[in-house]
Each structure stands twice: as C-alpha cells, then as structure tokens.
Coordinates of all heavy atoms in Angstrom, one line a residue:
A19 N 14.5 -11.5 72.7 CA 14.8 -10.1 72.6 C 13.7 -9.5 71.7 O 13.3 -10.1 70.7 CB 16.2 -9.9 72.0
E20 N 13.2 -8.3 72.1 CA 12.2 -7.7 71.3 C 12.9 -6.8 70.2 O 12.4 -6.5 69.2 CB 11.2 -6.9 72.1 CG 11.7 -5.6 72.7 CD 10.6 -4.9 73.5 OE1 9.4 -5.2 73.2 OE2 10.9 -4.0 74.3
K21 N 14.2 -6.5 70.5 CA 15.0 -5.8 69.5 C 16.5 -5.9 69.9 O 16.8 -6.3 71.0 CB 14.6 -4.3 69.4 CG 14.9 -3.5 70.7 CD 14.5 -2.0 70.5 CE 14.8 -1.3 71.8 NZ 14.6 0.2 71.6
Y22 N 17.3 -5.6 68.9 CA 18.8 -5.7 69.2 C 19.5 -4.7 68.3 O 18.9 -4.2 67.3 CB 19.3 -7.1 68.9 CG 19.1 -7.6 67.4 CD1 20.1 -7.3 66.5 CD2 18.0 -8.2 67.0 CE1 20.0 -7.7 65.2 CE2 17.8 -8.5 65.7 CZ 18.8 -8.3 64.8 OH 18.7 -8.7 63.5
E23 N 20.7 -4.3 68.8 CA 21.5 -3.4 68.0 C 22.9 -4.0 67.9 O 23.3 -4.6 68.8 CB 21.6 -2.0 68.7 CG 20.3 -1.2 68.8 CD 19.8 -1.2 70.3 OE1 20.7 -1.2 71.2 OE2 18.6 -1.1 70.5
A24 N 23.5 -3.7 66.8 CA 24.9 -4.0 66.6 C 25.6 -2.8 66.0 O 25.8 -2.8 64.8 CB 25.0 -5.3 65.7
P25 N 26.0 -1.9 66.8 CA 26.6 -0.6 66.3 C 27.9 -0.9 65.6 O 28.3 -0.1 64.8 CB 26.8 0.2 67.5 CG 26.8 -0.7 68.7 CD 26.0 -1.9 68.3
D26 N 28.6 -2.0 65.9 CA 29.8 -2.4 65.2 C 29.8 -3.9 65.3 O 28.9 -4.5 65.9 CB 31.0 -1.8 65.9 CG 31.1 -2.1 67.4 OD1 31.1 -3.2 67.8 OD2 31.2 -1.1 68.2
A27 N 30.8 -4.5 64.7 CA 30.8 -6.0 64.7 C 31.4 -6.6 65.9 O 31.8 -7.8 66.0 CB 31.6 -6.5 63.4
Q28 N 31.6 -5.8 67.0 CA 32.1 -6.2 68.2 C 31.1 -6.2 69.4 O 31.3 -6.8 70.4 CB 33.4 -5.4 68.6 CG 34.6 -5.7 67.8 CD 35.7 -4.7 68.1 OE1 36.0 -3.8 67.4 NE2 36.4 -5.0 69.2
T29 N 30.1 -5.3 69.2 CA 29.2 -5.1 70.3 C 27.8 -5.4 69.9 O 27.3 -4.9 68.8 CB 29.2 -3.6 70.8 OG1 30.6 -3.3 71.0 CG2 28.4 -3.4 72.0
Y30 N 27.1 -6.2 70.7 CA 25.7 -6.6 70.4 C 24.9 -6.4 71.6 O 25.1 -7.0 72.7 CB 25.7 -8.1 70.0 CG 26.6 -8.4 68.8 CD1 27.9 -8.7 68.9 CD2 26.0 -8.3 67.5 CE1 28.7 -8.9 67.8 CE2 26.8 -8.5 66.4 CZ 28.2 -8.8 66.6 OH 29.0 -9.0 65.5
T31 N 23.8 -5.6 71.5 CA 23.0 -5.3 72.6 C 21.6 -5.8 72.3 O 21.0 -5.6 71.3 CB 22.9 -3.7 72.8 OG1 24.2 -3.3 73.0 CG2 22.0 -3.4 74.0
F32 N 21.1 -6.6 73.3 CA 19.7 -7.2 73.2 C 18.8 -6.6 74.3 O 19.2 -6.5 75.4 CB 19.9 -8.7 73.4 CG 20.8 -9.4 72.4 CD1 22.1 -9.5 72.8 CD2 20.4 -9.8 71.2 CE1 23.0 -10.1 71.9 CE2 21.2 -10.4 70.3 CZ 22.6 -10.6 70.6
H33 N 17.6 -6.3 73.9 CA 16.6 -5.8 74.8 C 15.5 -6.8 74.9 O 14.8 -7.1 73.9 CB 16.0 -4.4 74.3 CG 17.1 -3.4 74.1 ND1 17.6 -2.6 75.1 CD2 17.8 -3.0 73.0 CE1 18.5 -1.8 74.7 NE2 18.7 -2.1 73.4
L34 N 15.3 -7.4 76.1 CA 14.4 -8.5 76.3 C 13.0 -8.1 76.2 O 12.6 -6.9 76.6 CB 14.6 -9.2 77.6 CG 16.0 -9.8 77.9 CD1 16.1 -10.4 79.3 CD2 16.4 -10.8 76.8
R35 N 12.1 -9.0 75.7 CA 10.7 -8.8 75.7 C 10.2 -8.7 77.1 O 10.7 -9.4 78.0 CB 10.0 -9.9 75.0 CG 10.2 -10.0 73.6 CD 9.4 -11.1 72.9 NE 9.8 -11.3 71.6 CZ 9.4 -10.6 70.5 NH1 8.6 -9.6 70.8 NH2 9.9 -10.8 69.3
P36 N 9.2 -7.8 77.4 CA 8.7 -7.8 78.8 C 7.8 -8.9 79.0 O 7.2 -9.5 78.1 CB 7.9 -6.4 78.8 CG 7.5 -6.2 77.3 CD 8.6 -6.8 76.5
N37 N 7.6 -9.3 80.3 CA 6.7 -10.3 80.7 C 6.9 -11.7 80.1 O 5.9 -12.4 79.9 CB 5.2 -9.8 80.4 CG 5.0 -8.5 81.1 OD1 5.3 -8.3 82.3 ND2 4.4 -7.6 80.4
V38 N 8.1 -12.1 79.8 CA 8.4 -13.5 79.4 C 8.8 -14.3 80.7 O 9.6 -13.8 81.5 CB 9.6 -13.5 78.4 CG1 10.0 -14.9 78.1 CG2 9.2 -12.8 77.1
S39 N 8.2 -15.4 80.8 CA 8.4 -16.3 82.0 C 8.8 -17.7 81.5 O 8.4 -18.1 80.5 CB 7.2 -16.3 82.9 OG 6.8 -15.1 83.4
F40 N 9.5 -18.4 82.4 CA 9.8 -19.8 82.2 C 8.6 -20.6 82.5 O 7.6 -20.0 83.1 CB 11.0 -20.2 83.1 CG 12.3 -19.7 82.7 CD1 12.9 -18.6 83.4 CD2 13.0 -20.2 81.6 CE1 14.1 -18.1 83.0 CE2 14.2 -19.7 81.2 CZ 14.8 -18.6 81.9
A41 N 8.6 -21.8 82.1 CA 7.4 -22.7 82.4 C 7.1 -22.7 83.9 O 8.0 -22.6 84.7 CB 7.7 -24.1 81.9
N42 N 5.8 -22.9 84.2 CA 5.4 -22.9 85.6 C 5.6 -24.3 86.2 O 4.6 -24.9 86.6 CB 3.9 -22.4 85.7 CG 3.6 -22.1 87.1 OD1 4.4 -21.9 88.0 ND2 2.3 -22.0 87.4
V43 N 6.8 -24.8 86.2 CA 7.2 -26.0 86.8 C 8.5 -25.8 87.6 O 9.3 -25.0 87.3 CB 7.3 -27.2 85.8 CG1 6.0 -27.5 85.2 CG2 8.4 -26.9 84.8
A44 N 8.7 -26.6 88.6 CA 9.9 -26.6 89.4 C 11.1 -26.9 88.5 O 10.9 -27.7 87.6 CB 9.8 -27.5 90.6

C-alpha cells in the first residue's frame, strides 16, 4: 500500500502502489 487510512478502529482502507507486479514466473 502506498498509503492507508483508519478513520476509526473498525475501518482500514489501503491504497495500493501503482505498477507493482508479481514475479515473472508461472
């Protein structure tokens, strides 16, 4: 996540980093 918010102790929002990929293997 490039950033996250927790407006209360029940809700957690994560914003993923752009252009992240898994390894280039099957």
Side-chain angles (χ1 to χ4, degrees):
E20 70 179 344
K21 65 180 181 172
Y22 63 93
E23 294 112 31
D26 54 55
Q28 288 176 254
T29 308
Y30 301 90
T31 303
F32 303 92
H33 303 278
L34 299 181
R35 293 183 186 281
N37 303 317
V38 173
S39 297
F40 288 105
N42 194 15
V43 294

